[in-house]
Amino acid sequence: MVAPPDNDVLWARALHHRYDDGSPGLSGVSLGVREGEILAVGGPRGSGKTTLLRCLSGLLPARSGEVWFNSVPVHTMSPGARERLRRDRFGWIDPAPVLVPELNVWENTALPLMLRGAGRRRARTAALEWLERVDIGDRARKHPGELTQAERQRVCIARALAPAPSVLFADEPTAPLHRVDRAHVLRTLTTAARSHGITVVLATHDAQTAALADRTVSLLDGRRVRTVHLPPVAGAAETEGRAACSLSV
């Protein structure tokens, strides 16, 4: 077992995962994520993006391979230790907003802070600041049932950022938002991450979303690939345009 490079906050080697129905989730994926980097994981639906994020965050133990966080082997941790790691150091944004219906907006946003031991007043102050940043501060006393889906997703983004996690995993975080809202929320997310030194691993199938990242890795059928655009072939350019082939790396 070889420790990862010192400048990689996250490092994975030869991750394999196969689901119970036999479908492959990951087939030998390796990558490193530098501290403070915003890394986009691209690829079509079903390519393994969510599976990779779940393995990197310790939510889903890989069938084989290694995952390291700050030179600590996540793959050898007990379930309880992985749960504490996710609570104390990681943040997560799902594609669909999930909030506690009995709590109002600021209480939902403050919940991770209070679970970490922050006092109610301090947690409320931080929650309200982040709600303002994602333009949902005027809904702070509303309950999730009174919000639109796009508003609920903004709350989820504020909730993930409020504790200033070391690493934020964002799985298609703007999927429920209208295109007009997407750019603004993504800029808010990326600007906040950079200003607070938060590492972001962002899964997306949208090229415009990936363009906001520092670097992009692409998956196809559970493998890392790079797309090579080939020049048009004489006589076929009008009908075929440019061809592309995906190569495993």
Side-chain angles (χ1 to χ4, degrees):
M1 190 162 59
V2 180
D6 291 338
N7 61 340
D8 282 348
V9 66
L10 275 174
W11 188 72
R13 178 166 57 191
L15 293 182
H16 288 263
H17 186 79
R18 183 172 293 273
Y19 290 101
D20 292 338
D21 63 1
S23 60
L26 296 174
S27 299
V29 174
S30 299
L31 59 80
V33 187
R34 295 182 293 274
E35 186 172 3
E37 182 179 28
I38 298 177
L39 176 71
V41 180
R45 297 186 191 279
S47 59
K49 301 187 300 295
T50 297
T51 304
L52 177 59
L53 264 64
R54 288 171 63 84
C55 287
L56 290 174
S57 66
L59 275 169
L60 179 68
R63 295 293 175 91
S64 65
E66 301 174 13
V67 176
W68 297 73
F69 167 69
N70 280 342
S71 299
V72 176
V74 178
H75 54 284
T76 63
M77 286 182 174
S78 67
R82 288 199 306 271
E83 184 177 347
R84 288 191 294 273
L85 176 67
R86 293 193 300 270
R87 182 193 65 202
D88 296 339
R89 307 299 298 275
F90 294 164
W92 183 277
I93 304 171
D94 274 313
V98 179
L99 299 169
V100 181
E102 295 81 9
L103 301 181
N104 66 27
V105 164
W106 80 255
E107 289 170 335
N108 267 285
T109 307
L111 189 58
L113 285 161
M114 290 190 283
L115 289 174
R116 291 185 181 187
R120 183 177 176 87
R121 179 177 296 180
R122 178 185 161 200
R124 180 178 182 273
T125 299
L128 291 174
E129 288 176 357
W130 280 104
L131 289 169
E132 288 291 342
R133 292 189 187 190
V134 297
D135 294 332
I136 198 81
D138 60 337
R139 312 290 276 170
R141 295 189 176 276
K142 300 292 184 181
H143 283 76
E146 302 174 85
L147 306 181
T148 66
Q149 187 182 42
E151 288 172 334
R152 290 195 295 272
Q153 187 68 345
R154 287 175 183 265
V155 176
C156 290
I157 291 170
R159 179 181 62 188
L161 287 166
S166 298
V167 182
L168 174 62
F169 297 93
D171 186 10
E172 301 281 4
T174 58
L177 303 179
H178 295 295
R179 182 165 292 276
V180 175
D181 293 331
R182 261 181 224 165
H184 173 69
V185 170
L186 279 168
R187 286 193 191 97
T188 300
L189 192 157
T190 53
T191 299
R194 288 191 170 98
S195 65
H196 287 72
I198 299 172
T199 303
V200 179
V201 184
L202 168 70
T204 182
H205 66 278
D206 179 59
Q208 291 182 334
T209 298
L212 294 174
D214 300 315
R215 183 168 58 100
T216 300
V217 298
S218 298
L219 298 184
L220 183 65
D221 296 333
R223 297 179 182 274
R224 275 193 67 175
V225 299
R226 55 191 172 94
T227 301
V228 180
H229 293 283
L230 302 178
V233 178
E238 292 82 10
T239 57
E240 297 296 334
R242 290 196 303 176
C245 64
S246 295
L247 305 176
S248 297
V249 294

